[in-house]
Amino acid sequence: MEYVHALNDGLPHAMAVELTVFEPDQARLSDCAVQWLTEGVRQFAGSDIGREASPHRVSTAGYTGVPALRPQSAAKRWAFTTAAPNDSFDVLYNPYVPDVLPWLMRSIDDRAESIRVESGLFTDKGEIGDSDVSVAAAFEEENPSCAKLTVKLSEAALRDPGRAATVESSILRSVRWACHRFNVVFGHLSYRRACGETELENALRGDAGDPAVNTANWRVRLRGYSWLMVVPEDIVDALGGVDLLSASPAFHSVTPLPNGALLLQATPTFREYRGTAVHNVHRVVRAVLIDGEFRKGTHLPPGVPPSCMVVFPD
């Protein structure tokens, strides 16, 4: 079993930053998603990829497959956007260029289940290569006043000493930008899972680990804890207030946000968020965490992300 744990720990798992925005006004909620998929993308990428990307004609209805993007002129970057309508299994595509904004806004207003922007560099052969930008906005029928704003990234980039600083800077820049503009009531960085579970939710059985159920209780319970997290004002108060959390050795930085929430960063780098650092954060927030029965056993099959960022009961 130790071999399996070592294997899982070394695999390049996908990770996701997720910010939950609470906004009962549906027009303003749509605007949050539009801003995230335009200016938020620029904040994460550090450039205007919509204008840098190779041009391609926008389809009013959306393409049923990835557009046939090819390098043109000096453009070395490809970019497209997808929308998954909530009433079908289809996924629609369009190039991510300035002219796509009306289609993007319509997809958001129609409350597509997820709208994503993907971008990367063309290969030497002029083909679509790996993405280095993957930013999305998602909506849940169970929580119509909420939007989930996400960034998908590779764990390998966060653990690579040569790339980590740049990736962490991109994460922090885009998260701070969003938190100072929207009513972000929860945020976490976890291994990427189909339903957006936190590390804690993934370790619990049944409805206790259901993100849609737990999102509705954001005022009284934290869905989990992680290297980077947003804690809402009511829970900040329950934990003793800003001053007490700021003085805690569990956190490298504590940033007050306009809505009264806090942006907490556990360690200077993600690579340091292991072992004692995870236990320190858990010790501070455990009184306000969602509660439930943990899955039995911590032995994971090959290919499954490790469970190193959650504290199991003794």
Side-chain angles (χ1 to χ4, degrees):
M1 282 300 178
E2 290 301 323
Y3 168 76
V4 172
H5 277 283
L7 177 64
N8 287 344
D9 207 25
L11 289 174
H13 301 290
M15 304 201 73
V17 177
E18 181 188 271
L19 303 175
T20 299
V21 174
F22 178 75
E23 179 50 74
D25 186 308
Q26 292 300 298
R28 293 177 65 179
L29 191 65
S30 291
D31 186 56
C32 290
V34 171
Q35 288 189 55
W36 177 245
L37 294 174
T38 51
E39 182 58 30
V41 169
R42 288 192 285 270
Q43 289 291 324
F44 179 78
S47 62
D48 190 345
I49 65 172
R51 296 189 180 278
E52 292 178 356
S54 183
H56 194 280
R57 184 175 63 85
V58 171
S59 167
T60 303
Y63 296 101
T64 56
V66 178
L69 304 174
R70 294 290 182 270
Q72 295 186 35
S73 304
K76 298 180 180 179
R77 175 169 288 279
W78 58 267
F80 63 81
T81 182
T82 67
N86 62 16
D87 57 352
S88 76
F89 294 106
D90 295 334
V91 177
L92 302 176
Y93 299 77
N94 251 317
Y96 186 69
V97 292
D99 290 345
V100 83
L101 185 59
W103 182 83
L104 200 66
M105 294 174 67
R106 188 166 63 252
S107 298
I108 290 170
D109 287 341
D110 290 344
R111 289 298 182 264
E113 185 176 324
S114 177
I115 307 98
R116 181 174 297 279
V117 174
E118 295 273 352
S119 181
L121 299 177
F122 286 107
T123 67
D124 293 339
K125 296 181 179 180
E127 300 172 343
I128 291 178
D130 293 336
S131 67
D132 55 20
V133 175
S134 183
V135 176
F139 300 94
E140 297 171 339
E141 289 184 340
E142 301 91 335
N143 297 293
S145 295
C146 292
K148 305 284 183 68
L149 312 180
T150 66
V151 175
K152 184 182 78 172
L153 58 152
S154 167
E155 181 187 17
L158 281 168
R159 298 207 182 278
D160 181 352
R163 294 184 290 166
T166 299
V167 176
E168 289 169 356
S169 177
S170 295
I171 292 171
L172 291 169
R173 181 174 59 241
S174 55
V175 167
R176 287 168 179 157
W177 176 87
C179 288
H180 279 85
R181 283 160 180 78
F182 313 138
N183 184 30
V184 177
V185 295
F186 179 68
H188 68 101
L189 169 64
S190 304
Y191 287 109
R192 185 171 181 261
R193 298 182 174 90
C195 297
E197 295 96 331
T198 65
E199 298 303 304
L200 177 57
E201 286 171 332
N202 185 64
L204 298 178
R205 296 169 58 90
D207 287 346
D210 186 337
V213 171
N214 294 327
T215 293
N217 298 318
W218 61 265
R219 289 182 178 86
V220 292
R221 290 289 174 186
L222 287 180
R223 290 174 46 206
Y225 48 97
S226 59
W227 173 66
L228 192 67
M229 55 194 294
V230 175
V231 177
E233 183 176 20
D234 289 350
I235 294 182
V236 169
D237 292 340
L239 290 173
V242 177
D243 291 341
L244 188 63
L245 291 172
S246 297
S248 171
F251 302 110
H252 166 67
S253 70
V254 175
T255 305
L257 301 175
N259 65 351
L262 291 181
L263 175 62
L264 307 176
Q265 182 180 338
T267 54
T269 67
F270 176 75
R271 295 193 307 279
E272 298 170 77
Y273 187 64
R274 312 280 280 190
T276 300
V278 176
H279 281 265
N280 288 343
V281 172
H282 173 260
R283 193 175 296 112
V284 172
V285 302
R286 60 187 173 187
V288 295
L289 293 173
I290 54 173
D291 191 26
E293 180 185 356
F294 279 79
R295 299 179 188 274
K296 293 182 179 179
T298 59
H299 297 303
L300 304 172
V304 175
S307 56
C308 58
M309 294 192 295
V310 64
V311 177
F312 288 85
D314 296 331

